[in-house]
Amino acid sequence: MKVIKKGILAVTLISGLALFTGCSSVKETWNLLWGHNDAQETQTDAAKEYDPEAVQVDSSVEAPEFTTNLKGKATYAVGDKAKALKVKAEVKGEGKITYQWYRNTVDSNGGGMMIEGAAESSYTPDTSEEGHWYYFVVATNTVGKSVNMTTSGMYHIYVDPDAEPAPKEGELKKGWTEDKKGWYYVGKNGKKVTNDWAEIEGKWYLFDKKGYMRTGWAEVKDVWYYLNEDGSMATGWITVDGKKYFLESSGAMHTGWLDSDGSHYYSGSDGAIKISEWEEIDGSWYYFNEDGIMLSNCEVNGKWLNPDGRLAE
């Protein structure tokens, strides 16, 4: 049994040595594995042979073909659970296929470090250590005591020390998320913002009772606000459905008289600026042009407007 185990170990090491040396022949790899070289052979007993029980590489054995290969890349935060990598190799003829996974620090499927215990068709990469890691697998087809091998493609894993860790089971992903019902936001405390305002990256947003971002007009404590299509609170001049409104720096909709850039405007209880119309305010009549500006000291439709904008009696 010790001889057989040594032969199996030889197969694993051969696949690794062949990858590491790159230009070494199978014979040279075998010689290095068993502690022989051509010079030594000439000095030893000519009758001495390799262990007949050892597994040997044989090019006449069909090499495995990967029907599911490795390709692509992924980024994880330190400690994140990585998605399992999967391969599948087949042969048309006889033989039994086994696998051995490797990890490299350079962009190459030659060399690298054999991953102990990783001998299945799938492997879940370790993300406990930051850095760039390149994974590949060697598939071996065994017929009796003869083998042949094929190396897979590579998969690049970047473990980013600055990446935000993925949420644990039962936790919500921090930041913005969109589902079928709309957008919601999870703060650093891991909870949704619900039924409240939240300042996010310098902009204010309003969320309903279920935590979904609101858009359009919203009344909060008898004050009206307007939320843009992206959810951010609007301020200043806006036009909605053909009507002009002015929103304070707090976002509150303005009503009544408004002085802006040296001009006078007026909005009713609905907040809409009076445009191209006469309006009676506190018992006096005023006229506002197509831009909503109050006219004064001029004649409109044969009627005179005083310097303060009131209709002359």
Side-chain angles (χ1 to χ4, degrees), residues 16 18 149 162 197 212 234 258-259 271 281 304 309:
M149 298 161 285
D162 299 321
W197 290 96
Y212 288 101
L258 171 67
D259 294 333
I281 304 170
W304 183 257

Side-chain angles (χ1 to χ4, degrees), residues 8-209:
I8 294 172
L9 175 61
V11 173
T12 304
L13 293 178
I14 285 172
S15 64
L17 286 171
L19 293 169
F20 299 160
T21 57
C23 60
S24 298
S25 67
V26 172
K27 180 181 177 182
E28 290 171 335
T29 303
W30 186 265
N31 286 337
L32 289 170
L33 175 64
W34 287 94
H36 298 283
N37 58 48
D38 291 339
Q40 289 177 326
E41 288 300 320
T42 60
Q43 299 173 15
T44 57
D45 188 353
K48 186 176 180 180
E49 297 179 355
Y50 298 132
D51 190 334
E53 295 298 319
V55 176
Q56 304 206 25
V57 176
D58 187 345
S59 60
S60 66
V61 173
E62 182 182 357
E65 179 180 350
F66 282 97
T67 55
T68 300
N69 210 335
L70 292 177
K71 182 181 180 181
K73 60 183 178 179
T75 299
Y76 297 98
V78 176
D80 275 355
K81 183 178 180 180
K83 184 178 179 181
L85 303 178
K86 297 181 180 180
V87 297
K88 185 177 181 181
E90 297 179 349
V91 291
K92 296 179 180 179
E94 62 176 334
K96 179 181 179 181
I97 295 177
T98 56
Y99 302 92
Q100 178 58 56
W101 289 80
Y102 293 82
R103 186 175 77 163
N104 211 344
T105 56
V106 294
D107 187 3
S108 172
N109 62 353
M113 178 183 68
M114 184 176 71
I115 304 173
E116 185 177 353
E120 302 294 335
S121 60
S122 65
Y123 175 73
T124 302
D126 176 24
T127 63
S128 62
E129 186 179 1
E130 66 183 72
H132 292 270
W133 308 102
Y134 301 86
Y135 290 87
F136 62 94
V137 61
V138 174
T140 301
N141 182 30
T142 302
V143 179
K145 298 193 180 304
S146 298
V147 300
N148 205 350
M149 298 161 285
T150 303
T151 303
S152 73
M154 287 188 305
Y155 199 92
H156 176 199
I157 298 288
Y158 176 44
V159 182
D160 185 355
D162 299 321
E164 184 75 21
K168 297 179 181 179
E169 187 174 355
E171 289 185 346
L172 295 173
K173 177 183 176 182
K174 294 180 178 62
W176 288 104
T177 298
E178 183 182 26
D179 62 19
K180 293 181 180 180
K181 295 182 180 180
W183 286 93
Y184 62 88
Y185 186 82
V186 176
K188 293 182 178 180
N189 61 359
K191 297 180 180 180
K192 276 185 179 181
V193 179
T194 57
N195 199 32
D196 201 0
W197 290 96
E199 185 179 14
I200 303 170
E201 296 181 357
K203 296 181 179 181
W204 285 94
Y205 299 83
L206 181 63
F207 298 87
D208 64 20
K209 293 181 179 180

Side-chain angles (χ1 to χ4, degrees), residues 243-283:
K243 296 181 179 181
K244 290 179 64 175
Y245 301 85
F246 184 82
L247 306 176
E248 307 287 355
S249 59
S250 65
M253 181 186 74
H254 182 90
T255 59
W257 285 105
L258 171 67
D259 294 333
S260 178
D261 296 328
S263 297
H264 303 288
Y265 303 82
Y266 187 83
S267 57
S269 59
D270 65 351
I273 297 294
K274 301 299 180 179
I275 294 176
S276 299
E277 60 181 303
W278 290 94
E279 182 72 17
E280 186 179 15
I281 304 170
D282 296 331

